[in-house]
Amino acid sequence: MAPKDPETPGFASLGLTPSLVLAVTALGYEEPTPIQREAIPFLLAGRDVLGQAGTGTGKTAAFVLPLLQRLAKEGGKKGTTRGFILVPTRELAMQVAEATHKYAKGQNLAIVPVYGGAPMDLQIRSLRRGADIVVATPGRAIDHLKRGTLSLASVQVLVLDEGDEMLDMGFADDLEAILEQTPEGKQTALFAATFPKRLQGIAAKHLDNPARVTIAAEKQAVGKLPKVRQTAYIVARPQKMQALDRILEFEDPQSAIVFCRTRLEVEEVTETLQAHGYGAQAIHGGMLQKQRDRVMGLFRSQKADILVATDVAARGLDIEHVSHVFNFDVPLSPEVYVHRIGRTGRAGREGVAITIVDPRQSRLMRNIESLTRQKVDIAALPTTADLRARRVTATVDGLRATIAKGEFKELRGVVETLAQEFDVVDIAAAALAMIDDSGRSGAPAPAEAAPARFERPGSSDARAERPRPQRPERFGILHIGAGANAGIRPGDLVGAISGETGLESSLLGRIKIDDEESYVEVPESKMRDIVAALRATKIRGQKVPVAPFDAGAPRKDARR
Ligand code: AMP
């Protein structure tokens, strides 16, 4: 594999300015998605664009990055609306505005979302303060145009996002009315997943010789795909890490690659998995070749059993023993999916590919199915009972192996004595119950609790000795009043908690880091000690508010 430059050359080669390349690099993007690769050069050249792409293909960046670059180049009066993005729904308006903020970081542009269902006066005030870029739903845009609180006279770039959805929602007349108010000579981009007749009509009328950008995925010959069991779990975004944890525990992969979209996600997932006792290692394009070689060495020799990777970093890796591929997110294009699952099922062995799907990404999953002409099963997450059944099966397998080896003769006497008092079957069942219990409470060495782990062919010692995550019965949620913006990372929280209280990191549950706050699942019985210890210390050199988090609290407060 040719080493990739950590500077994300893929984006620079599209003609984006260094500051925009830097912005996407800071977000952890490693390479443009197909729609970005296709659409960005046309938009930067000033062409109108008709783009066929749905949600989850990276289309927002495909139109926002060139929009930002053009606004910077064209100049114009600060505070007048020069970029105008129309979207069908309130949610999308917020999402696109948020994404635009991120891409425009440091550019001193005012980005104002304007959508129905929110108070008019607040939006009017924001618009009056000056809005360089407005992201609007059609109905509310019309309201503002009528009141004179929004003017489109200076628009240089107009984007119609999810045009087909806007028509489906009955916004056709509004769209026409809005388009009439935009100036001649502006650049227009229209994105949609499908192009019904009416949308084609609008495009023909309002777009000037548009470049057509279609991400036509080539059908893969089914025969060429490896033998892979493909499963998807539908999981809402905040629960993804917990879901991954649970599936990992259930599947118990011999060796796995977890694919993430961005470098930041790779780092976050790796740190959380490590904190939970997995031998996980990160690999992404931002690392030096030497670091990557070291990680690959660990993975090849099975000293690390989970590789958490971006696509760029995993490209071209040929590893024989990967039993499972996990997609922490649906990949941004079906080709990437096919490439990822090709990492497993090597050498004729059957592999397993598991995808965690945000409910909003189910269309992407259907695209993938149609491209590969293979079915992806949708499964329910393993329940606690499933996990328990799995543990018992493993214990029983281990028991069989131990009996076959006969290395327990000195213990027969103990059982014979007990047998004078109890039924032999009861004794054996009680012994199993103790093993199962210890697997959860973390008392004896986990290797003893699940001897089956030593028996699997191909399992290395390093792997067998890995402490398994041992979960307490009940977690409480610890709330920390600082997050990513304060530089907090999972490792800081795990370090602070185990450093200050001596609690083993494997006893911690999920960790979630938002911009301004963080949450950690901690054993409920240790909550008080942990809160007290953290209040008396600093995290990342700063005092931070720490308290038990009560998920039901806001409702309780509301009742009071
Ligand atoms: P979109 O289709 O625009 O809604 O984007 C879907 C998700 O992909 C968003 O969370 C983006 O932040 C992310 N994304 C967009 N482009 C890239 C890229 N080139 N690499 C990694 N993630 C991306």
Side-chain angles (χ1 to χ4, degrees), residues 11 24 27-33 35-36 54-63 92 95 99 102-103 162 237 260-263 329 332 361 364:
F11 281 99
V24 292
L27 289 170
Y29 297 2
E30 299 219 309
E31 58 177 356
T33 68
I35 189 72
Q36 291 163 1
T55 311
T57 54
K59 71 174 156 54
T60 314
F63 59 73
L92 198 60
Q95 224 171 291
K102 286 193 211 153
Y103 300 135
E162 305 206 347
R237 185 159 283 277
C260 300
R261 277 183 187 166
T262 65
R263 293 172 188 175
D329 245 317
L332 293 160
Q361 298 172 325
L364 283 181

Side-chain angles (χ1 to χ4, degrees), residues 378-521:
I378 308 280
L381 276 183
T383 60
T384 326
D386 294 335
L387 291 179
R388 181 145 196 244
R390 180 87 169 75
R391 265 199 306 266
V392 171
T393 311
T395 309
V396 170
D397 288 349
L399 206 54
R400 283 181 199 283
T402 311
I403 292 171
K405 276 204 264 175
E407 288 170 0
F408 51 82
K409 303 289 184 225
E410 72 280 14
L411 289 171
R412 279 187 65 95
V414 180
V415 180
E416 275 160 6
T417 312
L418 279 170
Q420 297 187 357
E421 215 178 323
F422 305 104
D423 178 62
V424 176
V425 176
D426 277 350
I427 297 170
L432 280 181
M434 277 172 68
I435 290 172
D436 186 41
D437 226 31
S438 67
R440 274 173 296 149
S441 68
E448 287 160 20
R453 304 190 62 77
F454 287 107
E455 304 303 327
R456 187 174 31 213
S459 81
S460 74
D461 283 351
R463 181 183 155 71
E465 279 159 17
R466 177 187 83 194
R468 290 297 289 173
Q470 302 149 15
R471 305 292 151 66
E473 292 277 288
R474 285 180 67 84
F475 279 134
I477 299 173
L478 179 72
H479 177 260
I480 292 137
N485 289 349
I488 304 269
R489 310 231 309 221
D492 300 322
L493 301 178
V494 173
I497 295 172
S498 34
E500 295 302 318
T501 65
L503 188 77
E504 258 192 58
S505 60
S506 61
L507 294 176
L508 298 175
R510 284 178 298 161
I511 298 172
K512 181 169 185 303
I513 302 208
D514 288 341
D515 285 349
E516 297 292 346
E517 51 197 354
S518 316
Y519 305 86
V520 186
E521 283 181 337

Side-chain angles (χ1 to χ4, degrees), residues 1-6 282-297 312-314:
M1 178 182 65
K4 284 263 178 177
D5 195 308
I283 189 161
H284 59 63
M287 292 162 55
L288 297 174
Q289 191 59 43
K290 216 168 82 186
Q291 294 171 309
R292 287 202 253 172
D293 290 344
R294 191 186 69 84
V295 167
M296 283 316 299
V312 166

Side-chain angles (χ1 to χ4, degrees), residues 24-72:
V24 292
T25 308
L27 289 170
Y29 297 2
E30 299 219 309
E31 58 177 356
T33 68
I35 189 72
Q36 291 163 1
R37 215 169 11 241
E38 298 291 321
I40 290 176
F42 283 125
L43 289 168
L44 287 179
R47 291 277 302 268
D48 282 2
V49 164
L50 257 185
Q52 182 166 20
T55 311
T57 54
K59 71 174 156 54
T60 314
F63 59 73
V64 169
L65 294 171
L67 181 151
L68 293 170
Q69 187 155 327
R70 279 190 67 79
L71 293 197

Side-chain angles (χ1 to χ4, degrees), residues 21-221:
V21 175
L22 210 65
V24 292
T25 308
L27 289 170
Y29 297 2
E30 299 219 309
E31 58 177 356
T33 68
I35 189 72
Q36 291 163 1
R37 215 169 11 241
E38 298 291 321
I40 290 176
F42 283 125
L43 289 168
L44 287 179
R47 291 277 302 268
D48 282 2
V49 164
L50 257 185
Q52 182 166 20
T55 311
T57 54
K59 71 174 156 54
T60 314
F63 59 73
V64 169
L65 294 171
L67 181 151
L68 293 170
Q69 187 155 327
R70 279 190 67 79
L71 293 197
K73 191 168 145 218
E74 305 267 318
K77 189 156 169 267
K78 167 104 192 79
T80 56
T81 302
R82 290 167 292 145
F84 187 58
I85 304 171
L86 268 177
V87 300
T89 63
R90 166 198 169 105
E91 287 69 32
L92 198 60
M94 291 195 265
Q95 224 171 291
V96 168
E98 198 182 316
T100 308
H101 259 290
K102 286 193 211 153
Y103 300 135
K105 202 165 181 178
Q107 299 211 18
N108 189 26
L109 289 169
I111 299 142
V112 176
V114 155
Y115 44 78
M120 221 31 194
D121 51 339
L122 280 181
Q123 291 179 355
I124 291 173
R125 248 180 285 154
S126 303
L127 290 169
R128 286 225 172 101
R129 273 199 297 268
D132 301 294
I133 300 171
V134 172
V135 185
T137 52
R140 189 50 75 96
I142 293 274
D143 287 350
H144 282 290
L145 287 169
K146 281 188 184 148
R147 287 171 181 238
T149 43
L150 172 68
S151 160
L152 301 180
S154 306
V155 166
Q156 294 165 351
V157 182
L158 168 71
V159 180
L160 308 174
D161 188 16
E162 305 206 347
D164 47 349
E165 288 286 323
M166 290 201 271
L167 293 191
D168 280 352
M169 293 174 68
F171 285 133
D173 294 340
D174 287 351
L175 270 191
E176 293 276 5
I178 292 168
L179 283 163
E180 294 303 331
Q181 300 211 20
T182 54
E184 291 281 319
K186 66 184 178 299
Q187 180 182 34
T188 307
L190 165 58
F191 283 84
T194 57
F195 282 88
K197 272 238 143 45
R198 179 129 199 218
L199 194 59
Q200 289 178 29
I202 291 178
K205 189 166 158 204
H206 295 279
L207 272 66
D208 178 16
N209 182 29
R212 284 165 203 274
V213 177
T214 308
I215 307 306
E218 281 173 36
K219 292 252 185 263
Q220 292 277 325

